[in-house]
Structures are given as C-alpha cells and as structure tokens.
Amino acid sequence: MDKTLISKLSSFSLLYVEDEEGIRNNINEILKHLFKKIFVAKNAKEAFNMYESNKPDLIITDIRMPNETGIELIKKIRKRDSKVRVIITSAFTDLDYMLEATELHLVKYIVKPITEAKLTEALEAFVKSYDSARVYTLAEAWLFDESKSIIQSPDEEFKLTKKENQFLKLLIQKNRIITYEEMENIIWNEDNIMTPNAMRLFIKNFRKKLPDNALKNVQGTGYRLVL
C-alpha cells in the first residue's frame, strides 16, 4: 500500500463491522495498522452503539448480518449523519442490495473476498472524498477541516477562530508568504484594527494549534507554512 495513502489514513478513525469472526480478525489485523483509531463490532446493534459513542470518520460494514443488515444500520445512521463515509462489503452481487446501497451515498461497494487491491482502491476513494470537502493534511496525523473550523492532531482537536480559519486557508491555498498587509486587508477589518499587540497575541495562540515549527515568520514580511 502506498506510503502517502497510509500517512493520510493515520489521521482518521474507523468503525469496522463484520459478523464472521475469521474475516473480522483478518481484516482488522490489516486495518488496525492504518487508522488513528479503530472500533470493531460483530453486529449492527453493537456497531450503532460504537458509532454513537465515537463518531468515526469511516464505517466499513458487511451487508448480511443476523437481526439487522448493514444497510439498515447505515440507514439509521444516515438519519442523523450525512457526512460519515461508508464502505459496504458483501459476498453477494444482488442487484436489489446494490441499488438500495447506492442511495446511502457510499464511498465504495466491495464484493467479497476482500483482497488488498480492493481494499486499497476503496480506501483511496475514501481519502479522495475529502478533496472536495476542504480537508487538508498539515502533517502526519494532522488534519485541517475548513468547513468545521477545526484542526485535528493525533491527540486532540483544536477549534479555530474565524480569523485563524481564514489565515490558515490563505496560507495553504497561496502556498507562499502571506504579508502583514494581506493579513490586515483580508483577515482584519475596519472595526478590528491589527495592532502589533493584537498580531502577536493572534500568532501566539494560533501556533499552539499547529504542528511544531509549522508557521515560519519571515522577518519584516509576513508568515508562511512549512509543512
């Protein structure tokens, strides 16, 4: 599996649902080395409780399980969460199942057996789904979600202020030094003057939410990201 893909996956959490013990153990052995956190369930009821408690970024679930199917599980989750990514696995290519599954906004539908190639393709699709969702990788296991105004580190989540969100977006998209003048014109406004003290306090607090040494001051000019 590509090192870049592995690095990106290490920022995310996963809920894996599979009722067959042999398959569950084998696939879990692979997945647990790829994700920041992994939660494993053997049925839909257990999986829903884990989803409620942990709010994973990705759910990989089998379709056919005792009492409640994977599709029923995802339908229940979709009523309260439209953003969590979902990959469905199944030993069957039943057209009715597949048509029903397409309505759940899936990342991928994997037909068993789950090979490394199929799994890699599905996980690549999962990572790619964030490209249009304005989620950026700052460093290994560090993510910036612009739409939610948060930075996720390996250990904690940082909520960004409106100014911090705008500044980080500018740094990433421009990929160059952002001058003091640009900061004043774009981030500050007429009702909120950028005094030297305000700037120092803003940068001090902002650095605490970034990977170490990620924000570099270019003396007399401005700031840039070093990722």
Side-chain angles (χ1 to χ4, degrees), residues 139-158:
E140 185 173 348
W142 283 76
L143 284 183
F144 165 45
D145 188 329
E146 181 196 336
S147 63
K148 294 181 181 177
S149 289
I150 61 169
I151 289 176
Q152 180 70 57
S153 80
D155 304 311
E156 60 184 309
E157 183 177 281
F158 301 101

Side-chain angles (χ1 to χ4, degrees), residues 14-221:
L14 165 72
L15 170 59
Y16 176 51
V17 194
E18 170 60 62
D19 65 310
E20 293 187 36
E21 185 178 3
I23 297 175
R24 186 171 66 246
N25 291 340
N26 289 339
I27 299 302
N28 178 43
E29 191 61 35
I30 298 171
L31 295 173
K32 72 180 183 181
H33 298 295
L34 301 177
F35 288 84
K36 178 177 66 177
K37 289 182 182 178
I38 180 169
F39 312 97
V40 182
K42 59 181 179 290
N43 56 53
K45 182 180 179 181
E46 193 174 271
F48 188 74
N49 290 335
M50 287 183 179
Y51 160 78
E52 291 258 273
S53 302
N54 302 288
K55 296 295 187 293
D57 301 300
L58 172 64
I59 299 171
I60 299 179
T61 180
D62 187 31
I63 283 185
R64 289 198 177 181
M65 295 184 289
N67 301 320
E68 187 178 348
T69 68
I71 287 179
E72 289 169 331
L73 166 68
I74 300 306
K75 280 184 175 179
K76 190 159 61 174
I77 290 173
R78 279 284 179 247
K79 288 179 180 179
R80 61 188 70 196
D81 189 339
S82 63
K83 292 184 178 181
V84 63
R85 273 62 168 175
V86 178
I87 294 171
I88 277 183
T89 66
S90 177
F92 305 90
T93 55
D94 187 294
L95 185 59
D96 290 337
Y97 267 136
M98 295 181 78
L99 289 174
E100 195 173 3
T102 57
E103 297 176 3
L104 300 175
H105 310 293
L106 305 181
V107 169
K108 207 74 176 174
Y109 187 113
I110 301 177
V111 178
K112 293 179 178 178
I114 303 173
T115 63
E116 184 178 346
K118 289 178 184 177
L119 187 60
T120 299
E121 184 182 1
L123 294 177
E124 284 175 343
F126 162 67
V127 169
K128 191 175 181 180
S129 72
Y130 278 89
D131 290 347
S132 59
R134 299 181 298 177
V135 176
Y136 306 92
T137 300
L138 300 179
E140 185 173 348
W142 283 76
L143 284 183
F144 165 45
D145 188 329
E146 181 196 336
S147 63
K148 294 181 181 177
S149 289
I150 61 169
I151 289 176
Q152 180 70 57
S153 80
D155 304 311
E156 60 184 309
E157 183 177 281
F158 301 101
K159 183 70 178 174
L160 299 179
T161 66
K162 184 178 180 180
K163 285 188 179 67
E164 289 169 342
N165 194 350
Q166 287 177 313
F167 186 37
L168 186 50
K169 177 183 174 182
L170 199 61
L171 287 162
I172 291 171
Q173 293 184 343
K174 297 296 184 183
N175 193 27
R176 59 168 173 77
I177 298 171
I178 303 302
T179 66
Y180 298 126
E181 184 179 3
E182 286 178 293
M183 292 177 68
E184 186 164 14
N185 291 338
I186 297 172
I187 301 168
W188 268 261
N189 55 50
E190 294 177 0
D191 301 323
N192 196 350
I193 299 171
M194 189 181 81
T195 64
N197 283 339
M199 165 66 78
R200 279 192 291 271
L201 183 60
F202 170 76
I203 293 297
K204 180 182 178 182
N205 291 331
F206 185 49
R207 284 188 195 276
K208 294 176 182 177
K209 302 175 183 180
L210 295 173
D212 289 343
N213 304 314
L215 185 65
K216 181 181 179 182
N217 177 228
V218 181
Q219 194 65 36
T221 305

